[in-house]
Amino acid sequence: MAAPKVAVVGAGVIGLSTALCIMETCPSCSVTILSEQFSPNTTSDVAAGMLIPHTYPGTPIHVQKQWFKETFTYLFAISNSAEASEAGIHLVSGWQVFKNTPKEELPFWSDVVLGFRPMSKAELQKFPQHQFGQAFATLKCDCPPYLLWLEKRLKATGVQMYTRKVADLWELHSEYDIVVNCTGIGAHQLVGDKKLFPIRGQVLKVHAPWVKNFIRDGDGLTYIYPGIHRITLGGTREKENWSLSPDPGTSKDIFDRCCSLEPSLGGAQDIQVKVGLRPSRQCVRLQREVLSQGGVKLPVVHNYGHGAGGFSVHRGTAKEAACLVGECIAALQDSSSRAKL
């Protein structure tokens, strides 16, 4: 059988990393990325890129932990390399604070991040409205540079990238042997996934270089995430809201909430507003499927629905999707050798 042709649809962090993992595990493949949008116009470009996992109710915790651990290990190695600045990845320490002590004082990911511990009484004095907190160091990914770094890696391995709107996965069957669906919220329409819904996120990107530590309210709504060049202030989680237009009232509310956690932000400059639609469902859709029409079959691998937690698990789910592509290739080779008999 000739080198299998694989199309990856979608060029956010999930699509690009899945394509990279496919090239790493099946180097004989020919991989093409097709997407209506590339960076800086993807949902991933809006993401804060902070490695603090979101929990998926429909996925076993040990699986989520494995995804997170693989992602953390991968990005930690980049953060310790000469490419850290170009890839936009750095370590940042800080605090997650709670108004009431959470049921789970030790989250499932506490031994993956670095130096996880309860905050001292003295540290908590910085947050008079909060009575419990956790201190740790984790990785922060500045998303636009990271996406460009991934694209550069892909081009170096010979991956082709084309701007193209795919209206139906079946339209690719004559050109490709396997299709990988990494379309995020686009899968709602593309494959009619009714379990997928948007959670609208509005954030501010500001210049405040004196703020060095991340601060996250335990409710997950208010957060301050320092990047290499700008700080992301958040945020909102608006279920089923498809609007990409920034709301000025929401921006003021986000800014006020962040200033109550870190009053020095009152002097922040150059405030930009960004909006993205997180592709959410009870669990990430990571599975193989075979589409067939008139006896013709098209193997498909789905990898989408990461919601607010895409950056925290992107490498782990990409590796799993690449394994599924490997299974599809093995099945194709098996059927082509049987056809020759």
Side-chain angles (χ1 to χ4, degrees):
M1 177 180 165
K5 291 184 172 169
V6 181
V8 175
V9 187
V13 72
I14 304 300
L16 298 181
S17 20
T18 300
L20 192 56
C21 286
I22 294 168
M23 289 305 293
E24 289 166 3
T25 53
C26 320
S28 62
C29 277
S30 133
V31 176
T32 304
I33 297 174
L34 306 172
S35 187
E36 197 178 352
Q37 300 287 358
F38 284 84
S39 184
N41 301 314
T42 73
T43 300
S44 299
D45 284 282
V46 180
M50 195 75 175
L51 267 73
I52 299 177
H54 157 96
T55 306
Y56 303 102
T59 304
I61 288 294
H62 72 272
V63 173
Q64 299 185 50
K65 184 169 182 177
Q66 182 62 27
W67 291 343
F68 179 57
K69 198 171 179 177
E70 285 181 353
T71 306
F72 194 93
T73 303
Y74 178 71
L75 292 179
F76 188 57
I78 300 169
S79 77
N80 284 328
S81 77
E83 296 188 45
S85 166
E86 186 192 346
I89 298 165
H90 67 122
L91 267 172
V92 57
S93 57
W95 306 281
Q96 176 162 258
V97 291
F98 298 82
K99 293 190 172 75
N100 302 298
T101 305
K103 284 199 290 282
E104 255 189 351
E105 290 190 29
L106 271 185
F108 72 83
W109 43 266
S110 60
D111 60 344
V112 178
V113 296
L114 309 180
F116 188 95
R117 61 177 176 80
M119 281 167 68
S120 67
K121 282 211 162 62
E123 283 174 296
L124 274 167
Q125 285 176 353
K126 180 170 166 57
F127 307 102
Q129 272 92 49
H130 297 75
Q131 59 163 327
F132 177 81
Q134 299 150 339
F136 56 95
T138 189
L139 290 156
K140 163 84 172 73
C141 204
D142 283 9
C143 305
Y146 182 60
L147 295 176
L148 292 176
W149 180 83
L150 285 172
E151 283 185 20
K152 186 175 154 183
R153 296 284 302 270
L154 288 162
K155 285 172 183 160
T157 61
V159 172
Q160 301 287 312
M161 300 186 199
Y162 299 107
T163 302
R164 172 173 167 181
K165 179 171 171 58
V166 176
D168 181 345
L169 294 178
W170 189 256
E171 73 188 51
L172 303 174
H173 86 276
S174 57
E175 300 164 72
Y176 299 98
D177 301 305
I178 298 164
V179 172
V180 186
N181 170 21
C182 300
T183 53
I185 199 66
H188 189 272
Q189 194 168 9
L190 181 63
V191 295
D193 186 343
K194 298 292 181 274
K195 294 178 182 167
L196 184 71
F197 56 91
I199 294 188
R200 180 182 180 278
Q202 181 165 319
V203 298
L204 310 178
K205 306 269 182 177
V206 308
H207 186 66
W210 59 88
V211 177
K212 304 292 186 203
N213 298 93
F214 75 81
I215 304 169
R216 181 181 196 268
D217 193 302
D219 65 11
L221 270 187
T222 306
Y223 48 83
I224 298 161
Y225 294 152
I228 294 173
H229 302 295
R230 301 178 72 73
I231 297 182
T232 302
L233 306 183
T236 65
R237 291 178 189 270
E238 300 163 73
K239 261 179 106 162
E240 302 283 0
N241 183 339
W242 290 87
S243 168
L244 282 167
S245 305
D247 178 284
T250 301
S251 292
K252 182 183 183 315
D253 176 55
I254 291 169
F255 193 70
D256 291 347
R257 281 189 276 131
C258 290
C259 285
S260 74
L261 282 177
E262 179 53 76
S264 74
L265 280 168
Q269 301 286 315
D270 186 20
I271 299 170
Q272 297 170 5
V273 189
K274 305 275 182 189
V275 178
L277 303 179
R278 305 178 182 100
S280 303
R281 64 206 297 287
Q282 286 291 98
C283 57
V284 177
R285 187 177 182 196
L286 244 177
Q287 64 181 157
R288 280 169 65 186
E289 180 184 21
V290 178
L291 303 180
S292 63
Q293 279 188 23
V296 182
K297 291 185 162 50
L298 175 66
V300 173
V301 171
H302 298 284
N303 183 16
Y304 67 83
H306 296 68
F311 263 90
S312 294
V313 297
H314 73 273
R315 177 72 183 186
T317 60
K319 278 178 79 168
E320 195 171 316
C323 288
L324 295 177
V325 170
E327 290 172 18
C328 293
I329 292 169
L332 287 172
Q333 286 168 339
D334 188 39
S335 64
S336 85
S337 58
R338 276 210 304 272
K340 288 184 185 125
L341 295 174

